[in-house]
Amino acid sequence: MIVTLPNAITFARIFACPFVAYLTLAPGTASRYAAFLLYLAAALSDIWDGHLARKYRSVTDAGKLLDPLADKLLLVSTFVPFYFLTRGDELGGIPWWGELPIWVLVVVLGRELLMTAFRSYAARRGVVIAAGRTGKYKTLAQCIFAGALLLWYPTAISAAEGGWSGALWVGFRHFHGLVIAVSLALAVALTVLSMADYLWRYREVVAGAAPRR
């Protein structure tokens, strides 16, 4: 495998995933702010490595496979901790949603497992499935939700400790909660839509036929 700069950034994002999960569940304001910042850096690195790969024409088949894998690991490192956090944290669940429903976890993670298996199957048939447009929109919605929720908990603690009660804080809090709730709904909808899109676009692979060149 050719180790290019974009691929190295992708490896760094993969390496950061377990630390994001640990910091998300760790108690205390500092660890949760750190989880948000580390997640933000990892999410932005996804944009950066893609930009570098296109700019320097260093797009590789390995990168096309590693990049979706890094996205999936980052997804797991937030959604699984969220499932437990929204059930055991004294600050409560997700705005408008409450506890993260188990069916959301099944849909979101099940789709990623299915796509991983499908990509592996397609690769054995000589077809590399790169991220499509609907998949990128899905990832964007998931990133907005995860980042917003990671920031939700430590800011709530800071507000309680600092006695924030002004109109500006209350307005921001309502807007923040709305972003979280809407982005999760979009993420779930786009998860299903992107899966259907991939299966349709690569229907010849699904059917077992040789892909047309």
Side-chain angles (χ1 to χ4, degrees), residues 157-204:
I157 297 173
S158 296
E161 293 175 347
W164 303 350
S165 58
L168 183 61
W169 163 246
V170 173
F172 172 77
R173 188 70 171 167
H174 283 302
F175 174 74
H176 192 172
L178 183 63
V179 169
I180 292 171
V182 171
S183 60
L184 178 56
L186 286 174
V188 173
L190 288 169
T191 293
V192 176
L193 179 62
S194 64
M195 183 74 246
D197 178 48
Y198 280 120
L199 293 178
W200 174 253
R201 287 194 293 118
Y202 293 93
R203 56 191 178 278
E204 292 179 341

Side-chain angles (χ1 to χ4, degrees), residues 6-142:
N7 288 351
I9 295 172
T10 302
F11 276 122
R13 188 160 74 256
I14 292 172
F15 180 75
C17 290
F19 295 98
V20 171
Y22 171 77
L23 291 169
T24 298
L25 291 173
T29 310
S31 62
R32 292 184 178 177
Y33 276 124
F36 166 72
L37 292 174
L38 183 58
Y39 177 82
L40 183 62
L44 290 176
S45 75
D46 187 24
I47 301 173
W48 187 31
D49 63 15
H51 169 72
L52 290 175
R54 291 187 296 272
K55 181 177 179 180
Y56 296 106
R57 298 181 181 178
S58 57
V59 177
T60 63
D61 284 348
K64 291 179 181 179
L65 294 175
L66 284 174
D67 192 63
L69 174 61
D71 291 341
K72 288 171 175 54
L73 291 176
L74 194 59
L75 179 70
V76 171
S77 70
T78 51
F79 271 69
V80 172
F82 288 160
Y83 178 79
F84 295 103
L85 190 63
T86 58
R87 282 161 173 74
D89 198 279
E90 68 278 6
L91 296 174
I94 301 169
W96 295 81
W97 287 76
E99 297 178 347
L100 182 64
I102 185 64
W103 67 264
V104 169
L105 204 63
V106 170
V107 168
V108 171
L109 298 186
R111 183 267 188 200
E112 303 308 324
L113 288 173
L114 183 57
M115 275 305 304
T116 299
F118 184 46
R119 277 193 168 94
S120 178
Y121 169 74
R124 290 196 298 270
R125 297 181 58 80
V127 179
V128 175
I129 300 178
R133 181 171 297 179
T134 54
K136 291 177 180 178
Y137 290 154
K138 176 267 304 178
T139 300
L140 177 60
Q142 290 173 345

